[in-house]
Every structure is written in structure tokens, then in C-alpha cells.
């Protein structure tokens, strides 16, 4: 393609993106003469350049659009939504043609008379003094100079426009706009153009010289540069490693210099790839405006931190997910004006988009003040899709239910106007973001709106990673997933505790579920390892137990091939400074493994009592009826969450099959507290050979406190009462509930009368 | 390594004219692959294991800055694994855009074989070998099994 056409296409695309934004701004503030001037100037430039390059179709459309804008400027035409929509359509048409021009190098065939007529009708129809001939709308601006009460318009702009009406001058102007381009050839080029007069356009203007400071570089060149630098970084790391192992080598000095230069080079090359996030946002005002019109809503889009920079590649990959999420907020999140007024909000809904840097990552938030997620609807949909059972849903917090919108298969297809609830393709959004090592989180409050937070790395090519070791093998963990590293099992630090094989760590009063890298990867069975990497995957925080933290290194991620991908726990591999290949762990996959384990053990927040000393862990729970009950955790064998459909009745007693035996179930007051369906938390007690499951309503808390019964109880099932954590609680007597199954005839057990087994009670 | 012939061409070539094969031995048996597919023959250096990968995947090696998947041919061919028994060699094969490396006990030499000299697999051949073999060739006292690279690398197919 002709260089000059190529330049035109690139510039016009940039101008059009700018125009979209400006038009939306203009619609909101029709009195802003500056905005109008800018719009007019851009449209005028497009029109002028087209004429000069011999693109008649484009020129005509741009000309018709310019006329309407001219009327706005002159104040003869009131800025209305319809008018702005028409201009935007005109811009769309221009964009289509420019795209075709880019692909084929020639203006596409097509008929624009309908659009042009509409534009002309708009320009003429509402003008106070309509031009007699619609065919000559170009004349109209001359008829109406600055209208009284119109916008104050800079005189030079008016002059420029008036001059533009004359055809020869127009070409001159076109050439003049060309001067803005960095390449000096483009000034010489007009000689080839049909109107040689253009070459003789010695217009001096206050062009800022900054134009010459930038050049256009093909993206491929930058990509290639980046790859080379990545390899160089690796080689540098290798050299450093070698030099470290030789105490006295003449290479030390040069290697140090090489190190510095490489780091600087890497940073500089990275910088060339950086783009302001505003580039991914610039289409959004237009999309939101169109959606608002279509849906009859009033939406205000706020954008903060457009200048925040991130890698071009990352930018490309978040563009679509971001658009999708903003669209979701506008479509499903925000209510119509009537609904908003009814709930006491301002009738204009707000979507706030913001971005900022935070430790090698970029944080993007999309917040709306709409209706929030509809928990009931999500529940309904979850049930329809069979993603969870009603009983499971009942046990969940609203926030947990909301997370379903991120689940694959939650929404089947993208519907254009899906008003049945939020969650159109959110799983796709999430997987796209996770693909680039990012995370999505959100919180939603019904009636107050939702906030989505996206955290993504600034660049993909090189990531910092923690090198960990387990069973003699090293692995890399991307640092984006790592929240902290905890050294456990020291004398003062937290301890890794086991509950029936499920390891947990009590960290700052939180129970952290753990996965042992050794057992997950089947390296060996030893329960070695005392370093816990606290990771985050989605909303889940968990720990990965490894033997040792070896190093922190910048790594270049290389993809896995088909054979190694199958293992599932790796997201890639890399070559370390010492030349060794290591696998990069996929933290999300490890989290999935944790989930399976948590299900197998039934309860997430389970901890065994540390036992020692006078301070014990005390489990607080509720039974049917009032009051909080307590039991020292050390007396509880297990806490389970049973599916109550599996309860069977033998000899008038409810039992459940548990670890190859029959576990009799009780509730505090006989059997009436045992649910007939859904799930129920059950405390398993063992006394000698007898097991019993005490079905409770809810686990409240685990508190560390001294067990000292302040008020003994007369009730055989209770030991007495005590204040724990500011609350009066009743200690239950586990022994009271342990009754041998089948020890008594059925008729005796039909009314609940448990055998009293004292003595073993602690 | 610009010309990696697809399987079809590979076959037609074997039936007409002489084709070079690289021989090697695994646990006492002799095998061969088309020499044109071989990119490198190396002494086996450090190997990074891939936990939970298929049995045949011996690990990953660093081949001059490229990560290559190593396949334990002994396991693949149902032979006693050669691990620990002296120095092992690796033969780097390039297929498509990916490189693989076969771990073998020793590398023989390159022999030219006429298409007509290749005999079909004997009926008594172990089924596992028969699936991976494109024929056999008698070389002096040895019987050389000509491996079908695509079949050897298609680990998932025979996994079940």
C-alpha cells in the first residue's frame, strides 16, 4: 500500500477513537466550545485529507458530518441526542471505510446517500434559515456567521473553516495538516497528488516540535527485541552464577557491568512496550453511551488513572474482558432511572473505572452503584444448572453464592439483552484474566452495587518467581500468587497441625488450609517441610507446604508441551540461572486439589486443640434451641458435615455409615434436632470403642481459653457454664451422648434415653 | 531442521531408494530412527523430573536454552528401565515445532537401508512393539526394529 495511505489510515484511526470520546463528552456538555472546536477540527482534517488523497466516498460522508458539526458550532442547530447519534453513525461509516481501505488499499464500493441525506436533513431541517438547495449544504456556514447566543468560537477556526470551503484552499489545508506528521517525505509527497497547488502551501504554524520526537515502530520489531532481551537476561543470570562460584576471576568486573547494562536495557525495552491503560478504555465512553440510550438508562462513566502504564501485550488481553465487564455493569448492574429513584438513589447510575500500580502489578477496579448481584436469582440459576444442591446453597454466605457467576457453565451463551441477572460470560472473563496470571475478585452488596477488582502483572514476558524446593526438586511459584511466606514449626512461630490427615496452619487467628507439595505431586509420603507459601487463588487463601525456599529469581516463562501439560499442576517451565529446568507451579490447580481434600474431610475450618497447658481451644457451637454450647476441641474427634440424605434408621435410631462403621447420631435434645435433608454439621465423639455423632445447628467459633467451669450444671448433658470470649456458654458433656448402638432394645431407645457414661470425662 | 517430512512422505521414501537410519540400543535390543529426523545426539545431562506426568516422560532437559521433553524409550517399549546402568545417551528428535529427546543406552551408527530390505513386523512381535514399529531390518546378527516416531511420541494413544 502507498505509504501516504498507510499514514492516513493510522492517523484517521487515532482521530476516530478520539472523536468517539469527544462526542460523548460534547453531548454531556454542549456548551463546551473547546470540545466542539476539537471535534470540528478532526472531522475537517479527515475530510480535507480524503479530498486530497482522492477518496471521494470518504470525503462526502465526512463533509456531510462536518456540515452538521458546523451548524452546532454556529448555534443554529441544537445539540440533541439524535444529532449526536447521527454523527456517531457517520463516524462509524468512516471507520468501516478506513478499515476496508487498510485491508485492500482502495476505498470500498458502497452507497452512502441515505446517511448523507440524513446528515443533510439534520443540517438543514432545523436550521432557522434553511439553505434553499439541499444539494449545496457546503454554502450554509457562510450564510450564518456567529449566531447570537451561539458558542463563542475562535476567530481563527472560523477563518480556517471559511477558507476550507474554497476547493483549492482546501487542498492547501490538507497539505498543511500533513505537516504534523513526523516524516518529512510527507510534505514532499503532495506533489504527486492531483492538485499540485498543494505543494505550494508554505504555511507556517505553531506546530509543536514534539511531533518529531516520536517515531512509529512496528510491533513485531518490539516483540522481537523483547524476546532477545529475555534471552539475554537469562544468559546474564547464568554468567553471574558461574562468576559467583569462582572467587577470583578477571571476569568479575565486566560481568558486573554487563549486569547493570542488561538491567537497564531490559527496563528500557519494557518501557517501549508500555502503553497507558487509557488505550484499552477509549472505546468505553461510546459503548456506555450507546448502551444507556438503548436501555433507557442514565449512566455516568468515571475514569481514573488512565495514564497508568502496562505492557502492550497485557493491555491487548484485558481489553475485551474489561469491555465485557463494563457492559455487564451498564446492562445488568445499573438500574433504570425509575427504579433508582424508587430506591432513593440519584437517577444517574455511575460506573467508576480506575487503575493504579501496586508492586509490579496493576490493579483495575470497575465499580457500579447499581442493584448489586441478585442472590436469589443466582441461587435459582445454580439450581437450574445443577451446580449445587439447595441444601448446599442454604449453608453458603451470600458472598460465596455470588462466586458462582465466575463458574464455567454458569451462563450458557451471551444474550444481547440478558436481564435475568449478572453473570454473562463472567467465567470467560475470569479465565482470560487468569490466563495472563491475573486474578479477579469482586464484592457485591444488594442494592448498593458491585465492585470488581482485577490484578494483573505489568508484563508477561518476565515474571518474578519464588524458587522452592520439595523432596530435592525445585519448582517456581509466580510471585503474583504469593501473599507471604511463613516459616512454621519453629519454637515461636505457628505450627502445622493435622486433622485426620488434612494439614492446617493457624496464622494470626485464621485457619489456613494447606496442601503439601510432596503429597500433591506424589514426590514421597514424608510429612517433611516447614515452609508455608501463603497463596491466593480467586477468593481462596491457602498454604503450600514446601521443604525450603531456595531463591527468588526473574524467570522467562516457556510454555509446556502436550505431554507435560497433562500433569495439570504446572503452568509452564523455565530455565534458571544455573541452567537447570524447573517447572512453574499452577497455583490455581493446587487450590483445586485443596478443595477436593476439604470436601473429603467435610469441614473447612477444622482444627485440633493444641491441648498442652491450661489454655485450650474451645469449640463454640449452637444446637437447636437457644444458647451457645461449648466443648474443649481436644475432646472432639472430628467435625463432619454430613449429607443427611444418607442417614439410615436401625432399631429406631438414626445412624450414618462412617469409616466402615455405623455412627449413631444424636442431637442435644434427643433426635429432634437431626435434619432430615440437606447437610448438617456433626461433632464426632469417641469414648473407648463407642462413637457418637452429635448433630448441631452451627459452628460458631473456636476460642483459646482456659477451661474453668464457673457454674456447674444439674443437667446430665451439661458440665456447667463459663464466660468464653465475652459470651456465657454451656459446656456439654460428651460422655452423656455416647451410647452404645443396639445395646438396648428398640422400644427403649424410641424415646431418647442415653446411657450415662461418666468417668472418662476429662 | 527445516525439512521434517510428514509421515506419508516418510513411508514412500522407505519403499524407494536408500534412506539413512540411526541405530541405537535400549536394554539390549537394537532400534533405529530415520537419521533426517535426528537433530542431536548428546550425553544425557541433568534431567528435571515432571511429577505426575506419564510414566514414559522421563523429564525435561535444557538443550542450549531450549526446554526439551525427554522420553524414556525403555519404558515406552516395555523394556526394563535403563536408569542407573551407566552413562545414558539422548537422541534429540524434532517433530513439528517441538523437540523431544529419547533416552537410550547407547548409540550405534548410521546405516543406509533400501526400502526393499525392510521386512514387515513378524507376527510373533510383542504387540506393544508392533504398534511402534514400521518394519524390521536384518543387520548382520542383529534384528533392527525401525521405530515409527509419530507412534512413539503419541503417548496418550497407548496409555489407556
Amino acid at each position: 500500500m502507498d505509504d501516504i495511505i498507510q499514514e492516513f489510515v493510522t492517523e484517521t484511526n487515532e482521530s476516530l477513537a478520539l472523536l468517539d470520546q469527544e462526542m460523548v463528552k460534547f453531548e454531556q456538555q454542549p456548551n463546551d466550545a473547546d470540545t466542539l472546536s476539537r471535534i470540528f477540527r478532526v472531522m475537517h482534517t479527515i475530510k480535507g485529507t480524503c479530498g486530497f488523497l482522492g477518496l471521494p466516498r470518504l470525503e462526502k460522508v465526512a463533509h456531510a458530518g462536518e456540515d452538521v458539526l458546523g451548524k452546532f458550532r454556529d448555534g443554529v442547530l441544537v445539540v440533541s441526542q439524535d444529532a449526536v447519534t447521527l454523527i456517531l453513525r457517520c463516524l462509524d461509516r468512516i471507520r468501516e471505510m478506513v478499515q476496508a481501505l487498510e485491508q485492500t488499499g482502495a476505498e470500498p464500493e458502497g452507497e452512502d446517500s441515505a446517511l448523507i441525506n440524513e446528515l443533510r436533513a439534520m443540517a438543514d431541517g432545523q436550521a432557522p434559515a434553511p439553505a434553499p438547495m439541499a444539494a449545496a449544504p457546503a454554502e450554509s456556514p457562510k450564510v450564518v456567521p456567529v449566531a447570537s447566543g451561539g458558542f463563542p468560537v475562535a476567530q481563527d477556526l472560523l477563518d480556517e473553516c471559511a477558507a476550507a470551503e474554497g476547493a483549492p484552499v482546501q487542498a492547501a489545508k490538507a497539505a498543511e495538516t500533513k505537516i504534523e506528521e513526523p516524516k518529512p517525505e510527507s510534505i514532499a509527497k503532495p506533489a504527486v497528488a492531483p492538485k499540485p497547488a498543494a505543494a505550494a502551501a508554505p504555511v507556517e504554524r505553531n506546530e509543536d516540535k514534539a511531533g518529531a520526537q516520536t517515531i512509529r515502530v512496528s510491533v513485531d520489531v518490539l516483540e522481537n527485541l523483547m524476546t532477545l532481551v529475555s534471552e539475554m537476561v537469562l544468559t546474564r543470570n547464568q554468567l553471574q552464577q558461574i562468576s559467583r562460584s569462582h572467587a577470583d576471576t578477571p571476569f568479575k568486573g565486566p560481568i558486573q557491568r554487563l549486569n547493570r547494562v542488561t538491567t537497564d536495557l531490559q527496563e528500557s525495552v519494557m518501557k517501549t512496550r508500555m502503553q497507558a491503560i487509557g488505550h484499552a478504555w477509549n472505546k468505553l465512553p461510546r459503548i456506555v453511551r450507546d448502551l444507556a440510550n438503548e436501555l433507557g438508562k442514565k449512566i455516568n462513566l468515571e475514569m481514573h488513572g488512565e495514564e497508568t502504564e502496562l505492557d502492550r501485550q497485557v493491555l491487548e488481553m484485558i481489553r475485551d474482558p474489561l469491555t465485557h465487564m463494563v457492559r455487564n455493569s451498564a446492562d445488568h448492574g445499573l438500574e433504570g432511572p425509575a427504579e433508582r429513584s424508587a430506591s432513593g438513589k440519584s437517577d444517574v447510575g455511575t460506573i467508576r473505572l480506575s487503575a493504579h500500580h501496586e508492586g509490579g502489578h496493576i490493579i483495575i477496579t470497575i465499580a457500579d452503584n447499581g442493584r448489586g448481584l441478585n442472590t436469589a436469582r443466582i441461587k435459582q440459576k445454580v439450581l437450574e444448572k445443577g451446580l449445587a444442591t439447595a441444601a448446599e446453597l442454604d449453608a453458603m454466605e451470600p458472598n460465596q453464592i455470588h462466586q458462582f457467576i465466575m463458574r464455567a457453565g454458569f451462563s450458557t451463551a451471551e444474550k444481547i439483552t440478558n436481564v435475568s441477572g449478572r453473570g454473562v460470560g463472567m467465567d470467560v472473563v475470569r479465565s482470560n484474566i487468569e490466563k495472563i496470571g491475573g486474578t479477579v475478585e469482586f464484592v457485591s452488596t444488594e442494592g448498593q452495587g458491585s465492585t470488581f477488582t482485577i490484578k494483573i502483572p505489568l508484563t508477561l514476558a518476565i515474571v518474578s518467581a519464588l524458587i522452592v524446593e520439595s523432596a530435592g526438586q525445585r519448582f517456581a511459584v509466580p510471585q503474583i500468587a504469593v501473599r507471604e511466606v511463613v516459616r512454621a514449626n519453629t519454637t515461636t512461630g505457628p505450627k502445622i497441625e493435622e486433622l485426620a490427615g488434612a494439614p492446617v496452619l493457624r496464622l494470626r487467628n485464621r485457619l489456613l488450609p494447606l496442601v503439601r507439595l510432596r503429597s500433591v505431586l506424589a514426590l514421597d509420603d514424608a510429612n517433611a517441610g516447614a515452609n508455608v507459601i501463603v497463596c491466593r487463588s480467586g477468593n481462596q487463601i491457602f498454604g503450600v507446604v514446601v521443604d525450603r525456599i531456595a531463591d527468588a529469581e526473574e524467570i522467562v516463562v516457556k510454555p509446556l508441551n502436550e505431554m507435560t501439560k497433562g500433569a495439570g499442576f504446572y503452568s509452564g517451565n523455565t530455565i534458571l540461572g544455573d541452567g537447570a529446568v524447573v517447572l512453574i507451579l499452577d497455583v490455581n490447580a493446587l487450590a483445586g486439589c485443596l478443595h477436593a481434600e476439604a470436601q473429603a474431610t467435610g469441614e473447612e475450618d477444622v482444627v485440633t486443640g493444641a491441648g498442652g497447658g491450661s489454655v485450650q481451644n474451645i469449640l463454640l457451637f449452637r444446637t437447636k434451641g437457644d444458647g451457645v454450647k461449648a466443648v474443649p476441641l481436644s475432646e472432639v474427634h472430628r467435625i463432619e458435615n454430613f449429607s443427611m440424605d444418607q442417614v439410615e434408621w436401625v432399631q429406631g435410631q438414626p445412624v450414618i455409615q462412617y469409616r466402615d462403621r455405623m455412627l449413631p447420631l444424636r442431637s442435644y435434645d434427643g433426635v429432634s434436632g437431626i435434619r432430615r435433608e440437606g447437610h448438617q454439621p456433626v461433632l464426632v465423639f469417641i469414648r473407648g470403642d463407642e462413637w457418637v455423632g452429635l448433630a448441631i445447628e452451627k459452628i460458631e467459633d473456636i476460642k483459646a481459653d482456659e477451661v474453668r467451669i464457673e457454674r456447674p450444671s444439674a443437667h446430665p448433658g451439661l458440665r456447667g457454664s463459663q464466660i468464653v470470649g465475652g459470651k456465657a456458654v454451656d459446656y456439654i458433656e460428651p460422655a452423656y451422648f455416647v451410647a452404645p448402638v443396639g445395646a438396648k432394645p428398640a422400644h427403649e431407645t424410641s424415646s431418647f434415653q442415653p446411657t450415662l457414661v461418666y468417668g472418662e470425662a476429662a | 531442521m527445516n525439512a521434517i517430512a510428514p509421515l506419508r512422505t516418510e513411508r514412500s521414501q522407505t519403499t524407494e531408494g536408500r534412506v539413512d537410519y540411526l541405530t541405537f540400543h535400549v536394554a539390549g535390543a537394537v532400534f533405529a530412527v530415520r537419521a533426517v529426523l535426528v537433530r542431536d545426539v548428546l550425553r544425557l545431562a541433568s534431567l528435571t523430573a515432571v511429577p505426575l506426568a506419564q510414566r514414559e516422560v522421563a523429564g525435561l532437559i535444557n538443550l542450549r536454552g531450549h526446554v526439551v521433553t525427554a522420553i524414556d524409550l525403555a519404558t515406552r517399549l516395555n523394556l526394563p528401565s535403563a536408569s542407573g546402568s551407566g552413562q545414558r545417551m539422548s537422541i534429540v528428535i524434532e517433530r513439528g515445532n517441538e523437540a523431544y529427546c529419547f533416552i537410550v543406552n547407547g548409540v550405534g551408527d548410521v546405516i543406509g537401508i533400501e526400502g526393499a530390505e525392510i521386512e514387515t513386523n513378524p507376527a510373533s512381535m510383542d504387540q506393544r512393539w508392533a504398534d511402534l514399529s514400521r518394519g524390521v531390518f536384518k543387520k548382520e546378527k542383529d534384528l533392527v526394529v525401525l521405530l515409527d516416531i509419530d507412534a512413539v511420541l503419541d503417548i496418550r494413544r497407548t496409555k489407556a
Side-chain angles (χ1 to χ4, degrees):
Chain A
M1 200 194 307
D2 213 346
D3 274 357
I4 200 158
I5 299 268
Q6 182 67 60
E7 292 263 339
F8 167 73
V9 166
T10 319
E11 268 182 19
T12 310
N13 276 336
E14 278 168 18
S15 309
L16 286 172
L18 185 74
L19 270 189
D20 266 352
Q21 277 180 307
E22 297 278 358
M23 278 312 285
V24 175
K25 202 167 14 147
F26 177 59
E27 187 183 18
Q28 287 158 357
Q29 303 168 327
N31 292 323
D32 185 355
D34 281 351
T35 312
L36 183 58
S37 305
R38 272 197 301 272
I39 296 171
F40 192 89
R41 199 188 294 259
V42 174
M43 187 69 113
H44 178 69
T45 306
I46 294 174
K47 183 197 79 172
T49 323
C50 293
F52 153 74
L53 289 174
L55 303 165
R57 204 186 141 199
L58 266 171
E59 186 194 0
K60 270 189 202 139
V61 174
H63 194 152
E66 186 192 356
D67 283 345
V68 177
L69 289 172
K71 296 283 169 122
F72 286 156
R73 191 195 57 196
D74 298 344
V76 290
L77 201 55
V78 183
V79 179
S80 68
Q81 199 185 334
D82 288 346
V84 172
T85 307
L86 193 59
I87 297 284
L88 287 175
R89 272 178 50 210
C90 167
L91 292 180
D92 285 343
R93 182 67 58 90
I94 293 174
R95 201 188 320 263
E96 280 165 29
M97 285 193 271
V98 170
Q99 258 163 20
L101 181 66
E102 191 177 4
Q103 280 153 15
T104 63
E107 207 174 27
E109 296 294 318
E111 186 49 59
D112 312 304
S113 53
L115 180 67
I116 291 173
N117 285 341
E118 263 185 81
L119 284 164
R120 284 189 181 160
M122 178 65 76
D124 295 341
Q126 292 171 35
M133 279 162 59
E139 299 301 305
S140 41
K142 282 185 184 164
V143 186
V144 205
V146 189
S148 55
F151 308 113
V153 173
Q155 192 55 44
D156 66 338
L157 182 61
L158 273 182
D159 291 347
E160 188 184 327
C161 299
E165 301 303 331
V169 195
Q170 175 188 326
K173 288 285 169 185
E176 169 193 322
T177 59
K178 277 288 169 196
I179 294 169
E180 292 174 21
E181 290 168 1
K183 287 194 181 172
E185 310 95 85
S186 57
I187 302 171
K189 276 273 168 69
V192 197
K195 287 174 183 147
V203 205
E204 81 272 36
R205 286 192 43 169
N206 53 343
E207 286 301 329
D208 50 321
K209 293 283 176 265
Q213 304 282 324
T214 57
I215 52 161
R216 288 181 201 282
V217 179
S218 137
V219 171
D220 292 344
V221 175
L222 290 183
E223 292 290 324
N224 191 27
L225 206 56
M226 190 66 215
T227 319
L228 291 174
V229 168
S230 303
E231 293 297 331
M232 187 164 164
V233 168
L234 277 185
T235 318
R236 189 259 331 250
N237 291 353
Q238 255 161 297
L239 273 177
Q240 277 184 315
Q241 203 115 21
I242 296 167
S243 117
R244 251 178 253 149
S245 56
H246 294 80
D248 192 29
T249 148
F251 295 116
K252 273 243 148 83
I255 286 179
Q256 228 161 45
R257 238 182 355 261
L258 176 73
N259 177 24
R260 220 177 28 245
V261 173
T262 311
T263 309
D264 288 351
L265 182 65
Q266 184 191 342
E267 271 169 21
S268 308
V269 171
M270 296 283 239
K271 223 175 262 167
T272 63
R273 293 162 51 97
M274 290 300 191
Q275 268 189 319
I277 194 160
H279 287 279
W281 289 358
N282 55 19
K283 285 201 173 65
L284 295 175
R286 167 82 191 273
I287 289 170
V288 169
R289 176 204 176 266
D290 286 358
L291 260 178
N293 285 347
E294 198 180 298
L295 301 166
K297 292 179 182 175
K298 292 183 182 168
I299 303 175
N300 175 25
L301 180 70
E302 285 179 23
M303 300 198 281
H304 304 278
E306 293 101 319
E307 70 289 343
T308 314
E309 287 191 324
L310 78 167
D311 193 290
R312 207 190 58 80
Q313 194 187 359
V314 182
L315 186 87
E316 286 306 317
M317 292 180 86
I318 58 154
R319 191 190 293 266
D320 287 348
L322 269 184
T323 309
H324 199 99
M325 288 168 89
V326 168
R327 201 188 275 269
N328 256 352
S329 285
D331 194 359
H332 310 306
L334 294 174
E335 316 90 326
E339 196 186 330
R340 289 186 68 88
S341 305
S343 51
K345 297 183 195 174
S346 140
D347 62 347
V348 182
T350 301
I351 299 175
R352 196 186 319 112
L353 206 58
S354 61
H356 66 273
H357 282 159
E358 198 179 289
H361 300 117
I362 184 165
I363 313 282
I364 306 168
T365 55
I366 300 154
D368 66 61
N369 61 355
R371 58 171 80 97
L373 293 172
N374 187 333
T375 313
R377 277 245 168 76
I378 295 173
K379 270 189 183 178
Q380 194 189 330
K381 220 169 169 189
V382 167
L383 286 178
E384 273 171 34
K385 306 264 177 214
L387 295 171
T389 65
E392 280 167 350
L393 285 179
D394 285 343
M396 287 184 188
E397 301 286 321
N399 187 30
Q400 282 176 292
I401 294 172
H402 293 162
Q403 303 305 324
F404 274 103
I405 67 166
M406 296 284 189
R407 286 273 281 271
F410 183 76
S411 65
T412 43
E414 182 152 346
K415 296 164 205 141
I416 289 151
T417 45
N418 183 341
V419 275
S420 61
R422 189 82 80 88
V424 176
M426 282 310 289
D427 59 319
V428 180
V429 168
R430 187 179 70 163
S431 63
N432 278 342
I433 289 172
E434 282 180 356
K435 215 179 279 168
I436 54 173
T439 56
V440 196
E441 287 163 37
F442 67 95
V443 285
S444 176
T445 318
E446 204 148 350
Q448 289 178 26
S450 316
T451 302
F452 288 81
T453 307
I454 303 174
K455 184 179 182 187
I456 37 175
L458 287 181
T459 179
L460 299 182
I462 297 181
V463 300
S464 11
L466 215 55
I467 312 298
V468 301
E469 197 179 299
S470 258
Q473 186 166 355
R474 286 183 292 174
F475 298 92
V477 184
Q479 277 191 351
I480 184 168
V482 178
R483 287 168 61 93
E484 59 180 313
V485 178
V486 179
R487 194 168 169 76
N489 296 357
T490 53
T491 45
T492 52
K495 275 199 159 47
I496 297 175
E497 298 169 62
E498 296 269 343
L499 190 93
V504 288
L505 182 78
R506 183 190 278 274
L507 182 65
R508 290 188 291 274
N509 290 329
R510 274 192 69 147
L511 277 176
L512 196 69
L514 301 178
V515 282
R516 289 186 185 276
L517 198 56
R518 279 175 182 245
S519 52
V520 168
L521 298 183
L523 296 172
D524 62 28
D525 297 333
N527 272 352
N531 285 294
V532 178
I533 307 165
V534 182
C535 297
R536 169 177 217 133
S537 162
N539 275 11
Q540 199 166 26
I541 296 175
F542 67 104
V544 181
V545 186
V546 299
D547 293 4
R548 187 168 92 77
I549 312 289
D551 205 355
E553 208 169 300
E554 303 265 292
I555 57 168
V556 178
V557 179
K558 293 170 186 272
L560 287 171
N561 70 17
E562 281 308 316
M563 277 179 216
T564 40
K565 220 181 264 171
F569 287 109
Y570 320 113
S571 58
N573 57 42
T574 191
I575 297 177
L576 293 185
D578 60 6
V581 181
V582 298
L583 292 157
I584 303 168
L585 291 175
D586 182 349
V587 172
N588 294 327
L590 290 176
C593 165
L594 173 93
H595 190 63
E597 201 158 295
Q599 272 182 343
T601 57
E603 262 291 320
E604 302 144 26
D605 282 6
V606 173
V607 71
T608 48
S614 56
V615 173
Q616 296 196 31
N617 284 321
I618 300 168
L619 178 72
L620 305 184
F621 60 95
R622 281 182 187 276
T623 55
K624 218 175 164 205
D626 40 34
V628 179
K629 303 284 190 295
V631 67
L633 197 55
S634 53
E635 294 181 34
V636 180
H637 174 63
R638 288 290 306 253
I639 305 170
E640 296 286 353
N641 193 20
F642 285 135
S643 164
M644 300 313 277
D645 335 326
Q646 286 165 20
V647 173
E648 293 164 273
W649 289 74
V650 289
Q651 302 178 26
Q653 281 194 339
V655 296
I656 194 158
Q657 291 182 23
Y658 181 68
R659 312 226 161 152
D660 298 330
R661 57 154 69 220
M662 280 198 293
L663 180 74
L665 296 180
R666 304 272 184 277
S667 67
Y668 178 66
D669 52 354
V671 290
S672 64
I674 295 175
R675 291 180 200 156
R676 298 302 162 112
E677 54 176 20
H679 282 76
Q680 187 164 15
V682 172
L683 309 181
V684 179
F685 295 104
I686 305 180
R687 283 289 176 277
D689 284 342
E690 301 300 338
W691 295 46
V692 74
L694 180 68
I696 59 170
E697 288 302 302
K698 191 171 170 236
I699 291 184
E700 286 272 293
D701 208 347
I702 294 174
K703 292 260 190 250
D705 205 340
E706 206 177 320
V707 178
R708 41 168 210 287
I709 290 170
E710 288 153 24
R711 275 176 56 93
S713 166
H715 191 288
L718 293 179
R719 284 182 195 165
S721 319
Q722 181 194 340
I723 304 283
V724 178
K727 254 189 258 176
V729 300
D730 287 329
Y731 275 106
I732 59 149
E733 177 50 74
Y736 171 79
F737 298 96
V738 180
V741 184
K744 282 165 289 175
H747 65 268
E748 274 187 20
T749 50
S750 57
S751 72
F752 180 63
Q753 193 66 200
T755 317
L756 297 179
V757 184
Y758 272 104
E760 277 180 347
Chain B
M1 288 309 299
N2 43 0
I4 304 297
L7 188 60
R8 250 172 280 109
T9 343
E10 212 180 311
R11 283 237 161 92
S12 62
Q13 254 181 301
T14 53
T15 49
E16 52 191 43
R18 248 174 131 69
V19 176
D20 283 342
Y21 280 82
L22 174 73
T23 64
F24 51 88
H25 52 98
V26 180
V30 184
F31 299 90
V33 291
R34 282 197 347 151
V36 70
L37 300 174
V38 177
R39 180 167 126 183
D40 257 308
V41 176
L42 314 156
R43 228 179 275 282
L44 186 61
S46 72
L47 197 61
T48 301
V50 184
L52 300 187
Q54 281 136 19
R55 250 165 21 97
E56 291 89 345
V57 177
L60 301 171
I61 61 167
N62 173 4
L63 179 69
R64 291 188 287 272
H66 292 271
V67 179
V68 175
T69 308
I71 290 160
D72 185 351
L73 260 195
T75 314
R76 185 79 183 102
L77 292 163
N78 226 4
L79 289 166
S81 183
S83 56
S85 56
Q87 180 69 55
R88 290 190 290 170
M89 301 290 287
S90 59
I91 298 174
V92 180
I93 301 280
E94 195 163 299
R95 191 184 63 160
N97 287 325
E98 285 195 57
Y100 296 89
C101 127
F102 290 161
I103 296 178
V104 301
N105 291 110
V107 177
D109 31 57
V110 175
I111 50 171
I113 302 177
E114 293 279 346
E117 295 175 295
I118 299 174
E119 294 169 35
T120 50
N121 296 332
S124 59
M125 195 186 236
D126 181 299
Q127 189 53 45
R128 184 127 188 199
W129 285 26
D131 288 344
L132 307 179
S133 158
R134 293 195 4 251
V136 292
F137 169 73
K138 278 202 191 74
K139 181 199 169 206
E140 293 147 29
K141 59 184 194 311
D142 288 329
L143 202 59
V144 180
V145 178
L146 307 180
L147 289 180
D148 177 345
I149 297 292
D150 288 281
V152 172
L153 291 178
D154 193 2
I155 283 178
R156 270 163 311 170
R157 194 177 69 183
T158 43
K159 199 200 169 199

